[in-house]
Amino acid sequence: MILEKILLHLLIILIPVHIYTLFFENRKIGKSPYLFGVINGITAIVTMSFSFNAFGMVWDLRYAPLVIAFLYEGPISGSIVMIIIALKRTITGGDGLIVAYLCLMFTVILPLYMHKNYWNISKTNRIRKALIVGIWTALAQVIITYGYFLINGYPNHTNKELFLFVVLYGVVQIIGTAASSTLHERMIEKQLLQKEMSKAEKLHTIGELAASIAHEIRNPLTVVKGFLQLMKKQEKGTNLQYLTLVLSELDRAEVIISDYLNFAKPRLEKVEKIKLGDFISGIITLIQSLAVAKGVILDDKVDENPPIITDKDQLKQAIVNFIKNAIEATPQGGTVSVNLKRINNFVYIVISDTGKGMTNEQLSRMGTIFYTTKEKGTGLGTAVSIRIIETMNGKVTYESELNVGTKVTIQLPIVEDENGL
Ligand code: ADP
Ligand code: MG
C-alpha cells in the first residue's frame, strides 16, 4: 500500500524534532550544527532505507530533513545531511543515480539561499518559507524525474498513473517539510518560554531581595538623619555647611529608596473618589515654581472634571514625575502643556513638551528601572510612575521625536457610577 508507506515516511521525517525535544531540551537549537546535521542525516538514511520502488525509481522523503537542516542550521548542517544522502544513494546504486544527484543539487539551492535571513523573520514567515522550500523541492524532483523519463522513455505505466503518483508524492513532500518546520518552531518556542520563565523567576527573587535590603537600610538612615538634624541645630561653626550637604544627600538617598520600594510593590493605600480636573490643576499650581525656575512655560487645558477612584498620593507622585521629566527635558523658553481629555469611560492626561525628545532606542527603554541619561538622575521616576498607573488599571504611552518633543499619554478608567460626586 502506497498510503502506508507515505505515512511511515512522514513519521520518520518528524523524528529529529522528537529526538531534540527529548534529549536536548535544555540547549538552544542553534548550539551544534554538527549534531543537527547528523541527526537529520540519520533520519534521511532511515527514510531511504524504507524507500519504495515505483515506476523504476526509488521514492522517499529524504529531502525534508535535508532542507530543514539547511534552513534551521545553515550550510554546515545541511552539507552533512547532503553528503550522507549522496553516500547512501551511491551505495544503493541503480539506474536513477544521475537523477538522484541532480535532484539533490537542485533541492539545496533554495534553502541554502533562504537560510541567510531565516532568523530575522517572524515564526509564521519561517514556516511559510519552509513551505515554499517544500514546494520547490517537489517541483525540482517532478521536473528532473520527468526530464529523465523523456530522455529514457516512460516506464511501463500509463502517463496518468505516473502523474497522479508524482503529484501525491509532491504534496506529501510539501506537507512533510511544513509539518517538520512547524514542530521545530513549537520546540524553539517552548525552549524560549522556559528560558524566559526561569529568568523572570530569578529577577523576581533578586527584586524581593533588593526590596528587603532597601527596607532595612531605611531604618538606620532615619536614625542617622535624626541625629544629624540635632547636631545641625547645635552647630554654629564651619561644620554647618557640611551638615546641610550631608542632610540633603541623605534626603536624596531616602527618596531613591522609597521610589524603589514603590516600584517593587506599588500599593494603593487610601483609595478614594477624586475629581481629576481639580486634582491636576492643584498639581500644576504646585509644580509651577519649578517650571518658572527653569524658564519653561507650563500650560494647562483642563476643562473636564471626571471622577476617578484612586490613591491620590500615588497618582500625584506619578503625574509629578512625568511633568518633572518634561520640564527637565525642555530648554529655556520651551513649553510643557498638560491636557485632560475624556473619551467614553476613559480619561486621558496628555503631557507634551517641546524638549529634546528621544531616539527610538531611548524610547524603547522608557520604564526600564535605573535607565537615566541625566548626570544626577536616578532612573526611577518613569519606572515607578508607569508601575503606579498600571496598578490603577491605567496605561502609559510615549511618543517622541528627537529635538522636537515628547508626548506622554496616561490613560485611566473613569468610575462608572458618577452619582456619588
Ligand atoms: P531620571 O529623571 O532620574 O533620569 P526617569 O525614570 O524619570 O529618571 O527618566 C528616565 C530617562 O527618560 C531620563 O533620563 C530621560 O532621558 C528620559 N525622559 C523621560 N521623560 C522624558 C521627556 N519628556 N523628554 C525626553 N526624555 C525623557
Ligand atoms: Mg525623572
Side-chain angles (χ1 to χ4, degrees):
M1 263 292 281
I2 261 186
L3 208 62
E4 270 173 9
K5 290 250 176 196
I6 284 176
L7 277 177
L8 173 70
H9 283 268
L10 260 179
L11 283 180
I12 292 173
I13 60 165
L14 298 181
I15 286 175
V17 191
H18 296 297
I19 294 181
Y20 248 86
T21 8
L22 268 181
F23 298 109
F24 307 103
E25 212 160 41
N26 292 329
R27 289 176 172 221
K28 197 171 176 278
I29 187 168
K31 278 279 155 63
S32 168
Y34 299 101
L35 191 70
F36 197 72
V38 170
I39 289 178
N40 277 289
I42 293 172
T43 311
I45 292 184
V46 176
T47 152
M48 286 165 88
S49 307
F50 286 100
S51 64
F52 47 101
N53 281 300
F55 307 98
M57 308 280 295
V58 181
W59 306 84
D60 51 58
L61 291 182
R62 71 185 79 157
Y63 299 113
L66 176 72
V67 298
I68 289 291
F70 264 110
L71 281 179
Y72 280 83
E73 279 300 330
I76 296 180
S77 193
S79 306
I80 293 174
V81 187
M82 192 172 155
I83 292 167
I84 291 176
I85 292 178
L87 281 176
K88 167 84 175 128
R89 188 65 190 85
T90 313
I91 293 167
T92 313
D95 277 351
L97 206 55
I98 302 292
V99 178
Y101 288 150
L102 271 177
C103 281
L104 193 59
M105 269 161 20
F106 265 94
T107 302
V108 299
I109 296 172
L110 195 65
L112 186 62
Y113 167 74
M114 282 208 173
H115 166 72
K116 275 181 202 149
N117 276 325
Y118 205 61
W119 292 109
N120 299 335
I121 56 177
S122 72
K123 173 189 144 197
T124 332
N125 281 342
R126 280 203 294 271
I127 297 178
R128 209 170 283 157
K129 268 196 175 180
L131 192 71
I132 294 172
V133 170
I135 296 173
W136 159 265
T137 313
L139 274 180
Q141 285 175 71
V142 168
I143 293 167
I144 293 169
T145 312
Y146 264 94
Y148 174 78
F149 287 151
L150 272 180
I151 297 165
N152 295 287
Y154 283 101
N156 199 11
H157 281 272
T158 59
N159 278 352
K160 200 178 157 202
E161 225 175 298
L162 175 64
F163 178 74
L164 278 179
F165 178 77
V166 169
V167 168
L168 178 69
Y169 177 70
V171 168
V172 172
Q173 184 111 269
I174 296 165
I175 294 175
T177 315
S180 185
S181 157
T182 312
L183 278 183
H184 271 98
E185 292 298 336
R186 279 280 150 78
M187 182 182 82
I188 294 165
E189 211 169 37
K190 211 179 113 195
Q191 283 177 355
L192 285 180
L193 202 74
Q194 249 169 9
K195 253 194 188 164
E196 285 290 311
M197 262 165 65
S198 69
K199 202 169 128 192
E201 228 163 83
K202 261 186 221 151
L203 279 180
H204 182 75
T205 321
I206 293 172
E208 296 260 294
L209 196 70
S212 65
I213 292 175
H215 190 76
E216 291 304 323
I217 288 177
R218 199 155 59 167
N219 297 338
L221 216 58
T222 319
V223 178
V224 171
K225 201 176 139 187
F227 281 114
L228 282 175
Q229 270 162 347
L230 276 180
M231 281 166 75
K232 193 184 163 193
K233 267 190 201 148
Q234 290 156 10
E235 181 65 46
K236 301 269 178 323
T238 44
N239 282 342
L240 188 67
Q241 72 187 88
Y242 299 143
L243 282 174
T244 315
L245 201 70
V246 169
L247 277 169
S248 87
E249 288 300 304
L250 272 182
D251 278 341
R252 203 170 111 80
E254 256 184 357
V255 168
I256 293 177
I257 288 178
S258 67
D259 267 355
Y260 177 76
L261 284 175
N262 214 347
F263 173 78
K265 273 200 183 75
R267 283 184 307 263
L268 303 185
E269 269 162 4
K270 251 176 48 207
V271 178
E272 57 197 308
K273 250 187 198 181
I274 54 166
K275 285 190 165 181
L276 197 59
D278 296 342
F279 183 70
I280 301 273
S281 301
I283 293 179
I284 288 171
T285 319
L286 194 89
I287 218 166
Q288 197 61 261
S289 56
L290 179 75
V292 173
K294 272 220 62 191
V296 173
I297 302 154
L298 182 58
D299 222 18
D300 67 298
K301 192 169 163 285
V302 183
D303 307 327
E304 305 256 5
N305 206 4
I308 64 164
I309 293 186
T310 194
D311 178 331
K312 67 177 188 212
D313 292 333
Q314 297 273 22
L315 183 62
K316 189 161 152 187
Q317 190 193 349
I319 293 174
V320 165
N321 273 336
F322 289 125
I323 300 181
K324 250 170 90 177
N325 275 344
I327 293 175
E328 280 162 3
T330 311
Q332 216 171 7
T335 315
V336 172
S337 47
V338 183
N339 282 1
L340 193 69
K341 274 188 306 198
R342 178 188 181 150
I343 302 172
N344 299 331
N345 284 329
F346 290 101
V347 59
Y348 297 84
I349 307 161
V350 184
I351 301 159
S352 27
D353 62 66
T354 57
K356 60 181 164 84
M358 285 180 268
T359 60
N360 279 343
E361 204 269 322
Q362 286 176 312
L363 205 58
S364 69
R365 298 187 63 178
M366 291 314 295
T368 314
I369 189 160
F370 302 130
Y371 165 69
T372 179
T373 54
K374 297 169 195 167
E375 204 183 318
K376 279 214 146 190
T378 61
L380 276 164
T382 317
V384 172
S385 307
I386 292 177
R387 278 285 280 253
I388 292 176
I389 300 294
E390 279 169 359
T391 341
M392 294 173 175
N393 296 323
K395 225 167 58 185
V396 180
T397 38
Y398 271 87
E399 290 162 62
S400 187
E401 204 174 317
L402 199 62
N403 300 325
V404 176
T406 305
K407 187 165 123 184
V408 188
T409 309
I410 305 157
Q411 183 200 54
L412 284 170
I414 298 178
V415 288
E416 306 279 319
D417 159 35
E418 294 179 22
N419 303 334
L421 282 161

